[in-house]
Amino acid sequence: MSEPYSSPSSDVMIQFDRVVKKFGDHVVLRELDFSVKPGEFVTLIGPSGSGKTTILRLLMTLETADDGTIQVGGEYLSHMERGGKLVPADERHLRNQRKRIGMVFQQFNLFPNMKVLQNVTEAPVRALGLSKAEAEQRARELLEMVGLSDKIDAHPMQLSGGQQQRVAIARALAMRPQVLLLDEVTSALDPELVAGVLAVLKEIARTTDITFLCVTHEMQFAQDVSDRVMMFDQGQVIEDAPPEQLFTQPAHERTRSFLHAVIDRAV
Amino acid sequence: MSSGLMSYVWEGLGNTLLLTVFGALLGLVFAFIAGLGRSSERTWVRGIAMVYTEIFRGFPSLVLLFALIFIVPTFGYQLNPLFAGILALALNIGAYAAEVVRGAVKAVPPGQIEAAIALNFTPWQRLRKVVLPQAVVAMIPPFTNNLIELLKATSLVSLVYISDLTFSAQLIRASTGETALVFFGLLVGYGVIALFFTAIMKLLERMAARSLGRTVPSGLFGRKEVAA
Ligand SMILES: Nc1ncnc2c1ncn2[C@@H]1O[C@H](COP(=O)(O)OP(=O)(O)OP(=O)(O)O)[C@@H](O)[C@H]1O
Ligand SMILES: [Mg+2]
């Protein structure tokens, strides 16, 4: 990249700087700018197919941007500085960046070949170098927090969707991330299982200083936990406000019609 | 049958089992190298693996065996005939089984690999801890077919005077003249060995399914997997 870039600052946890993402000719992110402060809970809303998942996947380094830069905790995510220039990051740099970021997926993605406890201990042992005893101790605490102490020896296949998602949350937390990405984590669940998962997330948001970037259609949940809500459409953030303001008096017509559609669907 | 003829049977059985087991083990090595090679991100690795599978799937095992036994010596090596048999069978079955490995690896849901990346596994750990343990479960039923194909193909080695079960049957037939009875017995023999290997594979399949928290209904011919 030839343009000068802004110097990383430490009062910003996530910083998108003119990020462009295309799939073929289809431009999903158009010079997207936004930032999230440390400890903030930010919810992303927007129409289906608008690119919310893409934003989270870029942060998890599951996709690479076509242009622009992303910084997390003041460090470039998918770029490295080489002789005053930014070059694409190598695997080692990416692995260092991923240490600080966790993600919970819509489809849980627990490892079926590992029992519940091992799902939570495997990564801390492999990637953080924790001893097995330390990792197990921590996994037991986390599984107790998500209310699954009695499922430690179960296979993921033997759990309900809601239980699987709570294990997935414990598994992500076991890596002690600074940033946690949540992509429609209750969308695949039966309605009666949603509340349990949301309660766990609320508790984590309240008791930790983790920075959250959350995509959800659970508007009540978003209103309860978010510091800010960003309405995202056509590759740009079109409205960014505290939840009480965005949900009650949206400034943009598109936000208003989107909220109408979502709330109509809910009743 | 005299004890002299029985000793032919035991020698033949031993060599047939030896060819099948070692052919399968060596074939498994070829299958994993080529199958994972075909799943590689590097073009040249994929290329080599593809050339191997395409070429060796096309060769009849018998021609390959003749080549190893009659062509290789012109380069100054003399292969042990039994080893040449194992190698020819393994190269051939490995090329088929490589496709099984590739298909099973490809069938692991992308979400599994993405979760492993999100948890900061290295590429090797993703393969070793997440992809392979799941893929292997899917490989076992088609591997059973490969193994039975291999068992049947071992009879070809009798044509290069390796004393496998078929070769022994020819000797017994020549010395007794009981052609119909001997070949009938030979069919029964291969059938029993095939059932034996199928039962072992079935056991492996159930163990593998259990590692994913699934169960396979018991019975030799139970195929369908159900949730526990
Ligand atoms: N791997 C891909 N290849 C091609 N197109 C893709 C790919 N991933 C996403 N897209 C496209 O990018 C756009 C944004 O997708 P994305 O999944 O980010 O949307 P979303 O806002 O999360 O939608 P939803 O609310 O339905 O989950 C969509 O039009 C989608 O079809
Ligand atoms: Mg999405």
Side-chain angles (χ1 to χ4, degrees), chain B residues 181-198:
Chain B
L181 192 63
V182 167
F183 280 132
F184 179 72
L186 189 60
L187 279 180
V188 172
Y190 277 110
V192 169
I193 299 172
L195 279 177
F196 168 72
F197 280 122
T198 306

Side-chain angles (χ1 to χ4, degrees), chain A residues 52-54 106 183-184 215:
Chain A
K52 305 179 297 296
T53 296
T54 304
Q106 187 173 351
D183 190 9
E184 297 196 36
V215 174

Side-chain angles (χ1 to χ4, degrees), chain A:
Chain A
M1 213 170 304
S2 52
E3 293 158 80
Y5 46 86
S6 51
S7 69
S9 57
S10 60
D11 56 342
V12 183
M13 185 54 91
I14 301 172
Q15 172 88 53
F16 271 56
D17 229 329
R18 277 174 280 163
V19 173
V20 176
K21 179 65 188 174
K22 305 173 199 166
F23 292 105
D25 294 337
H26 179 32
V27 183
V28 179
L29 308 185
R30 298 171 196 272
E31 306 208 332
L32 176 65
D33 292 316
F34 74 86
S35 62
V36 179
K37 293 201 202 70
E40 251 191 321
F41 195 115
V42 173
T43 297
L44 263 176
I45 60 171
S48 178
S50 58
K52 305 179 297 296
T53 296
T54 304
I55 293 171
L56 299 190
R57 288 173 58 84
L58 281 164
L59 275 164
M60 197 62 260
T61 69
L62 299 173
E63 306 276 359
T64 43
D66 295 295
D67 201 2
T69 58
I70 301 171
Q71 291 166 38
V72 174
E75 290 178 37
Y76 289 104
L77 187 66
S78 309
H79 293 90
M80 313 186 288
E81 294 190 54
R82 276 276 163 77
K85 285 197 144 197
L86 283 186
V87 297
D90 57 18
E91 178 70 19
R92 201 170 132 224
H93 178 88
L94 288 176
R95 289 201 68 223
N96 271 323
Q97 298 306 307
R98 284 181 199 131
K99 271 189 198 151
R100 303 177 296 155
I101 307 168
M103 184 161 181
V104 182
F105 300 85
Q106 187 173 351
Q107 298 296 339
F108 334 131
N109 297 344
L110 292 183
F111 303 128
N113 53 306
M114 303 177 193
K115 289 183 177 177
V116 165
L117 187 68
Q118 200 191 351
N119 260 280
V120 184
T121 57
E122 192 67 19
V125 170
R126 305 277 157 200
L128 298 183
L130 257 59
S131 76
K132 215 169 166 210
E134 283 173 304
E136 283 193 7
Q137 160 84 23
R138 172 130 177 88
R140 283 174 200 280
E141 286 167 19
L142 288 166
L143 287 166
E144 188 182 338
M145 187 191 69
V146 301
L148 290 173
S149 291
D150 54 331
K151 299 292 183 188
I152 277 175
D153 283 322
H155 285 281
M157 285 264 308
Q158 295 159 345
L159 302 183
S160 74
Q163 291 169 333
Q164 289 189 49
Q165 194 59 297
R166 284 185 276 151
V167 175
I169 292 167
R171 181 175 74 168
L173 289 175
M175 294 293 282
R176 301 181 184 277
Q178 295 170 12
V179 174
L180 192 55
L181 309 169
L182 308 173
D183 190 9
E184 297 196 36
V185 297
T186 56
S187 298
L189 300 180
D190 290 339
E192 73 271 22
L193 302 177
V194 170
V197 171
L198 295 182
V200 163
L201 289 173
K202 260 187 212 173
E203 186 60 16
I204 297 163
R206 199 176 60 78
T207 56
T208 69
D209 52 9
I210 295 173
T211 307
F212 282 86
L213 189 55
C214 168
V215 174
T216 185
H217 293 304
E218 298 290 334
M219 294 302 163
Q220 188 58 53
F221 169 73
Q223 185 151 3
D224 292 349
V225 295
S226 306
D227 299 303
R228 275 194 294 142
V229 178
M230 295 195 297
M231 168 72 191
F232 177 81
D233 194 17
Q234 304 192 340
Q236 290 276 337
V237 173
I238 59 172
E239 188 161 355
D240 178 348
E244 51 282 4
Q245 188 182 328
L246 191 132
F247 286 127
T248 54
Q249 322 153 336
H252 285 72
E253 178 49 37
R254 252 188 286 158
T255 312
R256 212 166 313 161
S257 57
F258 172 75
L259 288 173
H260 268 297
V262 173
I263 288 160
D264 285 349
R265 208 165 50 202
V267 278

